Amino acid sequence: MDFNMKKLASDAGIFFTRAVQFTEEKFGQAEKTELDAHFENLLARADSTKNWTERILRQTEVLLQPNPSARVEEFLYEKLDRKVPSRVTNGELLAQYMAEAASELGPSTPYGKTLIKVSEAEKRLGAAERDFIHTASLSFLTPLRNFLEGDWKTISKERRLLQNRRLDLDACKARLKKAKAAEAKATTVPDFQETRPRNYILSASASALWNDEVDKAEQELRVAQTEFDRQAEVTRLLLEGISSTHVNHLRCLHEFVKSQTTYYAQCYRHMLDLQKQLGRFPGTFVGTTEPASPPLSSTSPTTTAATMPVVPTGAVLAPPEEAALCLEEVAPPASGTRKARVLYDYEAADSSELALLADELITVYSLPGMDPDWLIGERGNKKGKVPVTYLELLS
């Protein structure tokens, strides 16, 4: 108990000394040991790394989970060291609603069949989103959190310790400076008249006391300087490790981009498959509705006729169910053909469609009554329907 009281008193004295030194520095009444420029640059880079890592981490969490309530819930589960419950993604929830709607409205109707197909695609999109969130959390968010909660806490602890060592060093410097000033004053300007022998004894005694004080202050200064240098070296090594942190974060950033690329590629592939499936449905929305009356326009009939593709009088359009049989017999219009560049590879669903390769050039044109999402494409002696979304019309 006695030892603890002594230690408590010693700690209180050290804290008081540091507080006095810090206050005097703030008011410009005490000198401060400045760190070298390289060390200051390391500190600035470390602070910048910490601040931007926090911002990137928070915004990535918003990207992966836009719902703030869900983020708070996940944070609480993480702090309580409990497993976060599985949560349905928005795509999966939408797929569930569509499936239930199809079941109630009639799964055999065109609308019901389409709802079922779209719900299956949305379910796959939701599963892809779940995989993306899981992969991004492990490969990107976890390393950022580990840096903030591990390495940065260690750096902050050592920096605080270095600050205390610097305050102790500057306090020792101030104490030594005062002791030397008092010693010089006691030696050169005695407090008593030199005619009295007693004053010689007192002056010599005071000089000896201040000499001992100077020796003690110098010894404390050497110890404080040694501890400060040792702590500065430890902190410097930790700060130089920020370069390794940047390399690690760079690797994690590449992993994040890779997972994001995979996710969007899966979404694109699922939607292309869905579009193909919906295009093969008999009695689709475009095919079953009556053609709408053309809107009134101030354009002259001559201009309209010049912009519309012309079909030779000898060509007869076949009904939709016979388009695959008669497509080869349809001649291209005399005007209205255009060049188009293929944006993506496209695999023909049947013999009425034309397979496409990315970046190739083909001739395209439209026929009256065709679905506006499709065009007739020609490549050499081959022709077939091609989706407009896969093309970039050039001229």
Side-chain angles (χ1 to χ4, degrees), residues 240-275:
E240 289 178 346
I242 292 294
S243 299
S244 301
T245 300
H246 288 181
V247 174
N248 184 39
H249 288 183
L250 175 62
R251 180 186 58 81
C252 297
L253 187 60
H254 279 279
E255 293 294 330
F256 175 70
V257 172
K258 180 181 177 181
S259 61
Q260 200 170 26
T261 303
T262 302
Y263 167 61
Y264 286 121
Q266 289 176 344
C267 294
Y268 178 73
R269 186 168 59 251
H270 293 327
M271 296 311 297
L272 280 183
D273 293 342
L274 174 62
Q275 191 178 36

Side-chain angles (χ1 to χ4, degrees), residues 212-261:
D212 293 341
E213 185 67 22
V214 168
D215 292 340
K216 182 180 178 182
E218 288 178 345
Q219 177 63 25
E220 292 178 352
L221 178 61
R222 285 192 292 269
V223 174
Q225 185 69 54
T226 301
E227 292 181 351
F228 172 78
D229 293 340
R230 184 186 300 114
Q231 185 59 37
E233 180 66 17
V234 171
T235 308
R236 183 183 64 81
L237 292 175
L238 289 175
L239 293 175
E240 289 178 346
I242 292 294
S243 299
S244 301
T245 300
H246 288 181
V247 174
N248 184 39
H249 288 183
L250 175 62
R251 180 186 58 81
C252 297
L253 187 60
H254 279 279
E255 293 294 330
F256 175 70
V257 172
K258 180 181 177 181
S259 61
Q260 200 170 26
T261 303

Side-chain angles (χ1 to χ4, degrees), residues 190-201:
D191 295 333
F192 305 95
Q193 298 179 2
E194 298 181 2
T195 56
R196 300 177 60 182
R198 180 172 175 269
N199 292 340
Y200 285 109
I201 298 175

Side-chain angles (χ1 to χ4, degrees), residues 295-361:
L296 296 178
S297 174
S298 59
T299 307
S300 63
T302 305
T303 306
T304 306
T307 57
M308 292 294 292
V310 178
V311 183
T313 55
V316 179
L317 292 179
E321 61 272 10
E322 298 178 4
L325 299 177
C326 303
L327 189 59
E328 296 296 335
E329 302 175 3
V330 177
S335 62
T337 60
R338 303 179 66 177
K339 291 291 184 180
R341 184 175 68 88
V342 179
L343 299 176
Y344 318 103
D345 293 345
Y346 178 74
E347 182 180 355
D350 50 45
S351 58
S352 67
E353 298 180 4
L354 182 65
L356 303 175
L357 295 177
D359 295 329
E360 70 171 331
L361 295 177

Side-chain angles (χ1 to χ4, degrees), residues 172-191:
C172 290
K173 289 180 178 180
R175 190 179 304 116
L176 177 60
K177 184 177 179 180
K178 292 178 181 178
K180 285 185 176 181
E183 181 188 24
K185 184 177 180 181
T187 303
T188 58
V189 185
D191 295 333

